[in-house]
Amino acid sequence: MSIKLVAIDLDGTLLNDHHEINLPVVESIKAARAAGVYVVLSTGRPLSGTKAQLEVLGLTNADDYIITYNGALVLNTKTWDIVAEHSMTRENYLEIDHLARLLDVHLHVADKKAMYTANRDISPYTVVESYLVNMPLHYRTPEEIAENITAVKMMMIDEPEILSAAFKKIPAEYFEKYTLVRSSPYFLEVLNPNASKGLALKELSEHLGIQQSEVMAIGDAENDLSMIEFAGTGVAMGNASEIIKSAATHTVATNLEDGVKEAFERWVLN
């Protein structure tokens, strides 16, 4: 079957090391979209953190969609209508806040509009993330966050060695109650257990009436694994982790060498 929907990770996949999209990649995506293929960014970022990329690629029309927050929220990019949502409860937040304090790591949470932290000593990585995804950052007490914020995503953030040590101390039951994903050496994302890029891609495919065999997913990191496994054609970037390469159907060039363009030319445009 031909490919009708392509899901693409952002950082380390679509973007080069300067957080830009190489022109040959832009041209191949626009050609696929003009041919009627759905092209969907699949990212840990919120919609506000992808506006520049969506505009460059021309993916801002009434029939364009995006997978955000690592699958916790699937939206139409023009209307912001929700296709699927898997958010967290106040009890979830309080439990994860308590765990982060026991592990002595920073934590912030995000809803659809902003980021929030109860850490008076705000992590510089939280500040950078706020800038990167173009969302305002607010300090609130744990009680205020629990009562007033519906968290879509929570993130433990810290120096890689601190986060790695903390990760090993997380009790096993948390891995059953939540989706926990290392999206970068600095970030450990905590999501609704039903939230993943793979499930979001499945939900969007069903919404659009597209078969699993007609889906291609391209990624490089651990948080891309579920969508690589779901897609009929799973593509690993040349710079991907070995876990992703082992799960993928194919491997292409790196994000610096236009690997996404290669994937489109080989399995979508050809």
Side-chain angles (χ1 to χ4, degrees):
M1 283 189 175
S2 61
I3 301 297
K4 294 182 179 179
L5 189 161
V6 182
I8 314 172
D9 170 57
L10 208 57
D11 298 289
T13 300
L14 183 65
L15 303 182
N16 60 29
D17 289 355
H18 300 289
H19 303 290
E20 299 170 342
I21 310 174
N22 292 343
L23 183 58
V25 174
V26 173
E27 292 173 342
S28 65
I29 289 174
K30 285 186 174 181
R33 197 68 190 97
V37 177
Y38 287 98
V39 179
V40 177
L41 302 189
S42 182
T43 176
R45 300 186 188 190
L47 179 57
S48 62
T50 64
K51 285 187 175 181
Q53 292 79 28
L54 291 170
E55 289 174 359
V56 166
L57 297 171
L59 301 178
T60 57
N61 299 304
D63 57 349
D64 286 314
Y65 299 87
I66 185 168
I67 295 170
T68 64
Y69 290 124
N70 276 319
L73 196 60
V74 184
L75 299 165
N76 180 285
T77 63
K78 184 177 180 65
T79 65
W80 287 46
D81 288 345
I82 297 172
V83 174
E85 179 177 4
H86 303 285
S87 54
M88 314 277 266
T89 67
R90 67 180 301 277
E91 289 76 17
N92 293 150
Y93 165 71
L94 290 171
E95 183 174 49
I96 296 301
D97 179 75
H98 179 67
L99 175 63
R101 293 176 189 278
L102 288 177
L103 297 174
D104 197 24
V105 296
H106 291 86
L107 178 76
H108 66 243
V109 306
D111 62 11
K112 299 184 185 75
K113 296 181 180 180
M115 291 169 51
Y116 308 84
T117 179
N119 301 129
R120 291 184 180 275
D121 179 18
I122 299 175
S123 167
Y125 294 114
T126 292
V127 176
V128 170
E129 177 75 355
S130 171
Y131 172 79
L132 182 66
V133 303
N134 193 32
M135 293 186 82
L137 174 63
H138 304 292
Y139 168 79
R140 297 288 187 271
T141 66
E143 293 75 21
E144 288 173 324
I145 293 176
E147 293 303 322
N148 301 313
I149 307 303
T150 300
V152 180
K153 181 173 75 169
M154 295 184 272
M155 294 178 70
M156 296 184 191
I157 64 275
D158 238 304
E159 296 293 340
E161 60 274 14
I162 295 175
L163 206 56
S164 294
F167 186 78
K168 295 176 183 177
K169 298 177 183 178
I170 297 176
E173 59 263 28
Y174 283 86
F175 292 87
E176 299 174 0
K177 292 184 66 175
Y178 301 96
T179 295
L180 289 92
V181 178
R182 287 288 293 272
S183 56
S184 84
Y186 311 97
F187 299 144
L188 171 59
E189 307 201 10
V190 184
L191 302 158
N192 182 301
N194 293 318
S196 71
K197 289 187 177 183
L199 178 58
L201 187 54
K202 178 178 183 293
E203 291 171 325
L204 180 57
S205 300
E206 292 174 349
H207 176 75
L208 296 173
I210 294 174
Q211 299 297 313
Q212 185 175 359
S213 59
E214 299 171 322
V215 176
M216 182 168 81
I218 312 172
D220 73 302
E222 178 187 335
N223 60 327
D224 301 319
L225 180 60
S226 60
M227 74 172 185
I228 294 289
E229 292 177 332
F230 169 78
T233 303
V235 180
M237 300 296 290
N239 52 291
S241 68
E242 290 304 316
I243 292 175
I244 297 299
K245 289 180 179 178
S246 297
T249 317
H250 309 284
T251 299
V252 293
T254 70
N255 63 320
L256 303 183
E257 301 166 326
D258 300 338
V260 170
K261 174 179 178 285
E262 179 186 344
F264 271 83
E265 288 185 341
R266 291 177 65 181
W267 299 293
V268 180
L269 298 174
N270 186 7

